[in-house]
């Protein structure tokens, strides 16, 4: 066994020991023992040093782990804050206030700041739109004066100049604070802030605002805090842009809806202009964010009140009695004078505005006048008013211009409607006078004309008796001309009766075959004039027909006359048959010829009053262009129609279709 010598301590490894084996006290053995002891001590020292290094490494690892955990916690907190802000943005589309409040609350908490502000650019100034954690006195002062112009060495002033972040360790060391600038005195003395960091809100490198957080002690913010604040600024820009786009979309939809509503009113209120103008001023006030609106219309050389919205009864009564002339003393007069949009920021500060007392009574400050132009002439104007000094936006001016255009459309529609009504009344009166004149003229002409026809017939018949053989041929010509003239007079009289609605029918139930035979006998003389052959093709047992026989005979003779006139040495055919169409029994009477025929263009105007196929045909064949027009009118009065089928050079077919039973009234 190993034992320690008396008086010595036993070592952890090899010490001075007593060897019981042979040769233990030899010199060589002693050296070996001393060497072994030295090595053991070296190993122990090394082990102890290794333990110390391990302990140091362990402590360092624990520190690194703690820092990593701290960084992870910070990163997690920042991510949670960012996620919360994004959730607020998605939960409140179009509403920036909760978004800004969430940003400031998270920024001040994570960055260990006492309070924060968010500003938006407004011209050359900043307007505070959100605050969090500020002292009551400071918050109240900022709310009373939200529009600020910070000094250039303040954090907000630096952002305005450089569009970059600004970090001030102690605001009380700035020159502006030392010189007692009100902006910084309010913040440092009432807000109690010392350290400030401000980050810009940029859109396409354009400054639209800034976020600021404050500490009430001198303690600069870390780079991580500033980086977080920059992320919030970017999110704020996204939220602002989303809100702008959403609001523009909503505004556009409102405007389109309002425009559609006005157009509906215009279409439904053709005769009620007042309803349209009332709708226009109401829509203009609502969509252009105005307090009052009025429309004035041109009456002679002055403009009078026509419609208004949100005017008090007293002011409306005053406006109704006021007449505006072109001139610079009023917004309406100035609009008429310039024939363009007039936009006055504050009429109470406008030296040219002559209705100062009235404007103060109405409370009008900012006013907008838009002309109602028709062919460049102002026929009126729409005037919008605000009780605060705030200019109308370009979009609102465009919308007011649209309303003005719609007012012009409505006014023009009503004007044209009444003009058309007046023209129609005049035309109806003229038509009545014409009908009375034609009826009177026809009656007056027929009496002497019948006498001439009768006298010439008698003289031709008794030429030998009266010794007028030499004058017989001229007398026949006079008789023929008189007969033709009488036919024309009868046609004109028929046309006037039809147009006046005073044509009387005499319907009778009769067998159709005898009437056809009678008409054909008369038509043979017409066919013989141009050496035409007359053919009749009728269905057996045509039966009875209820019709005005005189008017049907007139229609058929007109058709035969036309066919024989435009056909030479050809054939004219009459076809008669019964047909079933549209659940009713009809009689078709078709007159076909092999004459000159017609083009489609000629057929299109064939049945117009006093119109023939073309001027060349009229000169060559004569006629008034009334026969076919009257024939179709008569057929339609009896419940039927006259149609044509023709081809140039191949003849024409005119078909009269009449109902078997006459259902129309005898007095038309």
């Amino acid at each position: 066994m190993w034992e320690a010598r008396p008086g010595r301590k036993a070592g952890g490894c090899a010490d001075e020991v007593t060897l019981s084996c042979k040769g233990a006290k030899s010199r060589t053995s002693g050296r070996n023992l001393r060497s072994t002891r030295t090595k053991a001590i070296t190993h122990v020292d090394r082990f102890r040093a290794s333990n110390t290094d391990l302990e140091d490494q362990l402590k360092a690892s624990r520190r690194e782990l703690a820092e990593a955990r701290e960084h992870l916690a910070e990163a997690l907190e920042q991510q949670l804050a960012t996620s919360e802000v994004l959730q607020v943005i998605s939960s409140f589309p179009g509403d920036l206030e909760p978004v800004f409040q969430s940003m400031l609350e998270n920024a001040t908490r994570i960055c260990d700041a006492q309070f924060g502000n968010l500003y938006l650019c407004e011209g050359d100034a900043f307007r505070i739109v959100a605050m969090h954690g500020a002292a009551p006195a400071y918050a109240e002062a900022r709310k009373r004066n939200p529009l600020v112009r910070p000094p250039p060495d303040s954090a907000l002033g630096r952002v305005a100049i450089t569009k970059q972040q600004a970090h001030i360790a102690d605001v009380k060391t700035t020159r502006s604070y030392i010189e007692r600038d009100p902006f910084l005195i309010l913040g440092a003395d009432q807000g109690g802030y010392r350290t400030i960091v401000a980050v810009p809100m940029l859109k396409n490198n354009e400054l639209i605002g800034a976020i600021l957080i404050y500490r009430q002690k001198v303690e600069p913010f870390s780079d991580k805090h500033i980086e977080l604040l920059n992320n919030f600024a970017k999110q704020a820009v996204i939220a602002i842009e989303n809100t702008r786009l959403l609001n523009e979309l909503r505004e556009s939809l409102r405007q389109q809806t309002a425009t559609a509503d006005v157009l509906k009113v215009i279409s439904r209120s053709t005769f009620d202009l007042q309803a349209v103008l009332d709708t226009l001023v109401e829509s203009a006030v609502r969509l252009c964010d105005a307090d009052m609106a009025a429309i004035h219309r041109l009456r002679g050389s002055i403009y009078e009140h026509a419609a208004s919205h949100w005017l008090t009864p007293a002011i409306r009564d005053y406006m109704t009695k006021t007449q505006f002339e072109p001139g610079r003393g009023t917004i309406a007069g100035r609009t008429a004078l310039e024939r363009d949009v007039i936009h006055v920021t504050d009429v109470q500060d406008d030296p040219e505005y002559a209705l100062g007392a009235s404007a103060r009574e109405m409370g009008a400050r900012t006013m907008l006048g838009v002309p109602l132009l028709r062919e460049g002439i102002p026929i009126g104007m729409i005037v919008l008013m605000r009780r605060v000094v705030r200019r109308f936006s370009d979009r609102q001016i465009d919308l007011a211009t649209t309303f003005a255009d719609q007012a012009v459309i409505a006014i023009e529609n009503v004007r044209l409607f009444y003009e058309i009504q007046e023209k129609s009344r005049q035309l109806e009166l003229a038509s009545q006078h014409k009908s009375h004149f034609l009826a009177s003229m026809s009656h007056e002409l027929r009496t002497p004309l019948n006498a001439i026809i009768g006298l010439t017939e008698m003289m031709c018949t008794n030429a030998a008796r009266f010794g007028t053989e030499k004058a017989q041929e001229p007398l026949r010509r006079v008789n023929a001309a008189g007969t033709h003239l009488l036919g024309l007079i009868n046609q004109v009289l028929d046309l006037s009766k039809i147009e006046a609605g005073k044509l009387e029918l005499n319907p009778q139930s009769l067998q159709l075959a005898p009437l056809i035979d009678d008409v054909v006998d008369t038509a043979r003389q017409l066919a013989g004039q141009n050496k035409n052959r007359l053919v009749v093709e009728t269905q057996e047992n045509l039966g009875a027909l209820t019709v005005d026989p005189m008017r049907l005979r007139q229609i058929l003779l007109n058709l035969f006359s036309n066919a024989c006139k435009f056909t030479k040495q050809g054939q004219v055919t009459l076809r008669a048959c019964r047909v079933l169409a549209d659940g009713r029994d009809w009689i078709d009477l078709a007159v076909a010829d092999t004459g000159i025929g017609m083009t489609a263009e000629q057929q299109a105007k064939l049945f117009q009053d006093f119109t023939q196929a073309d001027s060349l045909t009229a000169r060559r064949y004569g006629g008034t262009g009334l026969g076919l027009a009257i024939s179709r009118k008569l057929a339609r009065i009896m419940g039927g129609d006259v149609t044509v089928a023709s081809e140039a050079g191949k003849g024409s077919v005119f078909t009269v279709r009449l109902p078997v039973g006459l259902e129309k009234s005898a007095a038309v």
Side-chain angles (χ1 to χ4, degrees), residues 419-464:
E419 280 188 4
I420 291 172
Q421 270 196 330
E422 179 61 21
K423 294 292 184 185
S424 298
R425 189 189 65 80
Q426 294 175 2
L427 288 173
E428 184 179 359
L429 186 61
S431 179
Q432 292 176 357
H433 291 162
K434 181 198 73 172
S435 298
H436 290 314
F437 169 75
L438 290 176
S440 300
M441 180 199 71
S442 299
H443 176 73
E444 296 297 329
L445 290 177
R446 289 172 70 182
T447 300
L449 193 56
N450 280 324
I452 293 172
I453 293 172
L455 182 60
T456 53
E457 283 182 352
M458 182 185 67
M459 294 180 70
C460 288
T461 304
N462 300 289

Side-chain angles (χ1 to χ4, degrees), residues 494 503-510 512 515 519 545-556 589 634-635 637-639 656 658-668:
D494 284 343
L503 182 71
E504 295 182 358
L505 296 180
N506 183 25
Q508 300 176 22
S509 179
L510 50 84
L512 186 59
L515 186 143
V519 171
L545 176 70
T546 301
V547 71
D548 185 328
M550 184 185 74
R551 296 303 179 184
L552 177 56
R553 187 179 290 107
Q554 182 180 351
I555 292 171
L556 291 176
L589 301 166
L634 290 173
I637 289 173
M638 292 188 288
V656 184
L658 294 173
V660 171
L662 182 64
E663 296 183 357
K664 300 287 287 184
S665 172
V668 180

